[in-house]
Amino acid sequence: MTPVHPEFVPDPTLSREEMERLQRDIADVAGFEDDFAFDPAAVRADPTDDGQTALGAATDDAEPPVVVGVDQAFVDAFSEDALAVSAIVATRGSEVIEEVHAVEPTEIPYVPGLLSFREGGAILSAFEKLTVDPDLAVFDGSGRIHFRQAGIATHVGVTLDVPAVGVAKNLLCGRPRESLDEYLPQGARVAIEADDSVTAPSGTVIGYAYQSRQYDNPETRHVNPLYVSPGHRVSAETTTDLVERLCAGYKLPEPTRLADNYADEVKAEVRD
DNA sequence: GCGACAG
DNA sequence: ATCTTGTCGC
């Protein structure tokens, strides 16, 4: 698939000010409310999940929506001329239906808040090779949890106009409504609100800390939560619901894990 | 000036 | 993101 909004394609040669202005423009047209055609209750990733679990049954016997996981790996990551490997794995329920990838030289270093300008080009190149039409894209990184509400999930989601969510392992900005230092049981959700560093009214819920995996005993080891946020055409609440459905016993959603592994495979081949 | 920062 | 064996706890 190709960009619906070519004017939003991330250009690494822009000045920092131009990048930030583009992000504000993207956030203006981004959809942070549900606006997609598939049934969220039909989304699943666990092969042992027949769709009749506590999460709620699908309304019909239709095939599960197509969910793509997107992840990057780098060859010579700390070098100026590092190569970005972008991998996309398309899934339907627990089935992998397509895998595509793209390898491109990185143009700029990693800068917090400008990640999409470093990795976005390779991601869009990989999407051009994708033949299936995704119902939802899951990105590694933030969406609305971003200074200008335009993290990589929002940037790419809006550019392709595809429903998208962001899944990050660390919090970029915003303020948890409750302390995340205490033990959170599996399934716990803590709202992440906009603070003064975010271009949204203070208190706006821009995402959630979601405890996708946790050990039963609070005294022993603990797992860090995921930070999920809307990318495009999905609300913060539904984003969390979808990520919950896509997790199958591991901390990360299944499409993300698959893309993670595939990116590593490609990287191993590329660095010969 | 201080603090804080996805991958 | 990346470099990496063993090791602790469920």
Side-chain angles (χ1 to χ4, degrees), chain A residues 90-242:
Chain A
T91 65
R92 170 161 254 150
S94 59
E95 307 299 314
V96 172
I97 58 175
E98 188 175 9
E99 292 184 319
V100 295
H101 67 84
V103 182
E104 288 184 0
T106 56
E107 310 286 341
I108 56 174
Y110 163 68
V111 176
L114 301 178
L115 181 67
S116 60
F117 290 92
R118 172 174 165 82
E119 308 185 351
I123 294 174
L124 289 175
S125 294
F127 266 105
E128 283 191 18
K129 302 178 182 177
L130 192 66
T131 66
V132 294
D133 189 20
D135 290 300
L136 176 72
V138 180
F139 292 90
D140 61 313
S142 291
R144 196 183 188 184
I145 296 181
H146 179 276
F147 310 117
R148 292 163 292 280
Q149 305 183 80
I152 194 162
T154 302
H155 195 150
V156 180
V158 167
T159 300
L160 296 172
D161 192 28
V162 64
V165 299
V167 177
K169 300 179 206 66
N170 291 286
L171 189 59
L172 174 62
C173 61
R175 178 203 324 117
R177 184 171 284 173
E178 300 163 30
S179 172
L180 297 178
D181 298 332
E182 321 304 320
Y183 173 90
L184 289 178
Q186 187 163 314
R189 302 179 179 202
V190 175
I192 303 299
E193 304 177 331
D195 55 18
D196 292 335
S197 74
V198 180
T199 61
S202 185
T204 302
V205 177
I206 55 177
Y208 281 89
Y210 172 61
Q211 197 71 50
S212 58
R213 184 99 162 83
Q214 186 57 283
Y215 296 107
D216 296 323
N217 188 345
E219 303 309 303
T220 184
R221 211 162 146 196
H222 67 81
V223 178
N224 293 135
L226 248 29
Y227 299 94
V228 305
S229 59
H232 183 45
R233 293 167 53 172
V234 186
S235 70
E237 291 67 33
T238 301
T239 291
T240 316
D241 294 341
L242 292 170

Side-chain angles (χ1 to χ4, degrees), chain A residues 8 18 20-30 148 158:
Chain A
F8 292 149
E18 292 172 321
E20 295 187 352
R21 192 178 70 73
L22 185 63
Q23 291 181 325
R24 294 172 196 275
D25 291 344
I26 289 167
D28 281 342
V29 305
R148 292 163 292 280
V158 167

